[in-house]
Amino acid sequence: MKNILTVLFVLISISAFSQTKSVKKIGAKNAAKTPVKKGNLVSKPNPDLVVINKDLPVLIPKKKGDKFGYVNQNGKFIIQPEYHIAVFFYEDCNLLNSPNEKARKYGTKDYATVEKDMISYRVDQSGKRVYQFKDSDLGKCKFEEYKHQLFQAYILNGFYGIIEKAKFVNAADYRQYQIYPQYQYLYIMEGDDVADPMIIASNNDKFGVIDVNNKIIVPFEYSNIKRNFSWKLGKMFEVTKDGKNYYYIDANNKTY
């Protein structure tokens, strides 16, 4: 009898031990894994987006052949030329006010508008097409209060000069002219500083840029300078010497 009880005790102990091991294994298998927290991943700045002139965009539209891409301030193509149209990285107010909330972020100045095969996109600074324009996504722009120009062009005896509108009353008094009429043509560029605008001027059939004090900013060596928003958007001028091939220069007459 004693031997029988001993055998039963051993069998019960083995059975209990086996069940305990089995439970432990199942529990370990089904236990939720605690996620390991990693440090915040900080994207490394692109070494190709060099800043030599802080007043200029880090990426500048440039034409090669019949296509546009973007170069950095060293003139290196960062976004290869494949577009029919490429404009400065700048805000798009239609997308910023889009009824589609997901599209609004593509309206910021971190993106630029390009066009290829009659389709318009927004691209990021790596050149990736991140958004394709849809009419249904376009909202209404909320324009800021217009800044009235302090100066305007004035023609006298066939020549252009500059006057300050609020002070000018007597065309016969040469002292009232900001710049006495002496140019073939003058055009005040759109910009943020109405007190110190850039002025496209023509003299001896060549174009250059002057300021309101008649100081030459860009020499008179171009056959044309476009009257567009390049100064307002990028602090640059779009120029040509042959009347066909346009490119950008800065206020130091450096070519990009």
Side-chain angles (χ1 to χ4, degrees):
M1 183 69 179
K2 184 177 179 182
N3 291 334
I4 294 173
L5 291 174
T6 302
V7 170
L8 288 174
F9 178 77
V10 171
L11 292 173
I12 291 171
S13 298
I14 292 172
S15 176
F17 179 75
S18 298
Q19 289 178 10
T20 302
K21 286 182 68 178
S22 177
V23 170
K24 285 183 179 180
K25 285 182 179 179
I26 293 172
K29 183 177 181 180
N30 294 335
K33 294 182 179 179
T34 303
V36 178
K37 292 185 178 180
K38 297 180 179 181
N40 293 332
L41 297 176
V42 179
S43 58
K44 295 181 179 180
N46 187 341
D48 285 326
L49 300 182
V50 294
V51 178
I52 299 172
N53 186 337
K54 62 181 180 60
D55 294 327
L56 301 183
V58 293
L59 288 174
I60 301 164
K62 186 176 180 65
K63 191 174 186 180
K64 184 177 181 181
D66 59 352
K67 302 292 184 182
F68 285 93
Y70 292 84
V71 297
N72 64 12
Q73 291 189 11
N74 276 329
K76 176 185 176 182
F77 270 103
I78 305 301
I79 300 176
Q80 294 303 310
E82 59 175 303
Y83 297 104
H84 174 64
I85 294 174
V87 300
F88 286 103
F89 279 75
Y90 203 72
E91 292 181 350
D92 185 303
C93 62
N94 295 113
L95 286 179
L96 285 176
N97 296 284
S98 174
N100 179 1
E101 291 186 9
K102 293 182 179 180
R104 292 175 189 170
K105 67 178 182 179
Y106 300 118
T108 67
K109 62 182 179 180
D110 295 324
Y111 305 96
T113 298
V114 296
E115 182 181 296
K116 181 177 183 179
D117 298 328
M118 305 299 290
I119 301 174
S120 296
Y121 306 91
R122 292 285 273 180
V123 296
D124 63 18
Q125 290 185 339
S126 71
K128 181 180 178 181
R129 297 175 201 162
V130 295
Y131 173 79
Q132 181 177 326
F133 277 88
K134 300 176 182 177
D135 289 341
S136 59
D137 285 347
L138 303 182
K140 293 183 179 180
C141 293
K142 298 176 182 179
F143 294 105
E144 298 179 359
E145 184 178 352
Y146 177 72
K147 292 182 179 180
H148 291 278
Q149 295 284 354
L150 296 180
F151 302 96
Q152 72 176 40
Y154 189 91
I155 304 175
L156 179 67
N157 298 326
F159 291 97
Y160 284 74
I162 296 292
I163 62 171
E164 187 173 350
K165 293 184 289 186
K167 298 179 179 180
F168 189 81
V169 292
N170 184 7
D173 186 355
Y174 73 93
R175 294 171 298 181
Q176 294 197 9
Y177 292 90
Q178 182 69 25
I179 298 176
Y180 194 78
Q182 57 193 276
Y183 291 100
Q184 292 172 303
Y185 176 81
L186 290 177
Y187 179 86
I188 299 175
M189 295 285 279
E190 184 76 21
D192 296 325
D193 189 355
V194 295
D196 187 23
M198 294 291 99
I199 304 167
I200 295 175
S202 177
N203 189 37
N204 294 326
D205 298 324
K206 292 292 183 181
F207 283 86
V209 178
I210 61 174
D211 66 11
V212 291
N213 297 310
N214 207 20
K215 176 185 176 182
I216 296 176
I217 305 299
V218 173
F220 290 87
E221 58 185 52
Y222 298 99
S223 64
N224 194 21
I225 300 177
K226 286 190 177 182
R227 274 72 84 190
N228 54 22
F229 288 96
S230 60
W231 177 252
K232 182 176 179 63
L233 301 183
K235 294 293 185 291
M236 307 189 82
F237 306 102
E238 195 170 1
V239 303
T240 180
K241 287 188 175 182
D242 60 10
K244 297 179 181 179
N245 299 300
Y246 282 85
Y247 52 92
Y248 287 101
I249 62 168
D250 62 20
N252 296 315
N253 202 31
K254 181 181 176 181
T255 299
Y256 295 87

